Each structure stands twice: as structure tokens, then as C-alpha cells.
Amino acid sequence: MGIDDKIIYDATEDDFEQGVINRSSEIPVLVDFWAEWCPPCRALTPVLEKITNQLKGEVLLAKVEVDDNMHLAGRYGLRGFPTVILFISGQEQARFSGFKPEAEVTDFLSDNRAIK
């Protein structure tokens, strides 16, 4: 099963263009920029995974570990973690930083037309 077959997957600097930018032309992609040492990151990831699984392919979740992918963090001007960026049609649509409960993440997706 390759990156193109998964709804939740790890993305790196090497496959970000294919796994996020290109895929977001077909389906919205949430990118979770996280770090192992970050407690809010560890709290948010299960929320994002639960929502992504419940949506059954309406939205994808790409997880980027920032310590291993610092160029991506710099490219998107990330100042804190976790930061979640929504990509639609190859472009950044919206972002938020910090922990958000499930209802707020769902509202974020709905408000930004990632889900109906």
C-alpha cells in the first residue's frame, strides 16, 4: 500500500509535493506538523486521526514530523506546534495552531469547504 492509497500517512520533504500538493488537487489534505516532544501535538493527533477516519476519504491526513523535516516548517513559516494546514487544489486554504477539540476541528473543515 503506497502513499496514494492511504487516507492517513506520513509525509516528508521528499514526498510532500506528491503526497500533499498534488493529492490536494483531488481531495482536501490536512497536514499535521507535529513533534514528538510536544504534548499538545500528541493530544491533537488522535483527534485528527479520528475525524479523518470518520470522514472515510472526504479528507486526507498527512503527518509531518518537524524535527525531521525542518525545511517544510521553514517553507510554511511555522512558529509553533502543532500547526495544521489545510490544502485544497494545491494551495494553502487555512491553518490553525495548538490543540483543538474534535468539534472545533470539524468546524474548521466545514468553514473552509473541505467537507459538506
Side-chain angles (χ1 to χ4, degrees), residues 2-52:
I3 193 171
D4 293 329
D5 302 323
K6 297 179 181 176
I7 62 168
I8 298 173
Y9 52 93
D10 294 321
T12 66
E13 292 168 4
D14 294 335
D15 59 21
F16 194 84
E17 193 70 27
Q18 173 197 352
V20 173
I21 303 303
N22 294 347
R23 285 189 86 187
S24 75
S25 295
E26 301 165 16
I27 187 166
V29 179
L30 267 182
V31 181
D32 177 19
F33 289 93
W34 67 280
E36 186 65 41
W37 46 263
C38 165
C41 298
R42 291 195 309 270
L44 181 62
T45 296
V47 172
L48 297 175
E49 290 176 349
K50 178 181 179 186
I51 291 168
T52 302

Side-chain angles (χ1 to χ4, degrees), residues 23-89:
R23 285 189 86 187
S24 75
S25 295
E26 301 165 16
I27 187 166
V29 179
L30 267 182
V31 181
D32 177 19
F33 289 93
W34 67 280
E36 186 65 41
W37 46 263
C38 165
C41 298
R42 291 195 309 270
L44 181 62
T45 296
V47 172
L48 297 175
E49 290 176 349
K50 178 181 179 186
I51 291 168
T52 302
N53 282 320
Q54 287 174 337
L55 291 171
K56 296 181 179 10
E58 274 188 72
V59 135
L60 305 177
L61 175 62
K63 300 187 296 185
V64 177
E65 205 289 321
V66 293
D67 288 331
D68 295 335
N69 297 281
M70 289 304 291
H71 291 290
L72 285 174
R75 175 177 168 185
Y76 290 100
L78 306 184
R79 299 191 187 274
F81 305 105
T83 295
V84 175
I85 302 179
L86 174 65
F87 287 85
I88 297 177
S89 299

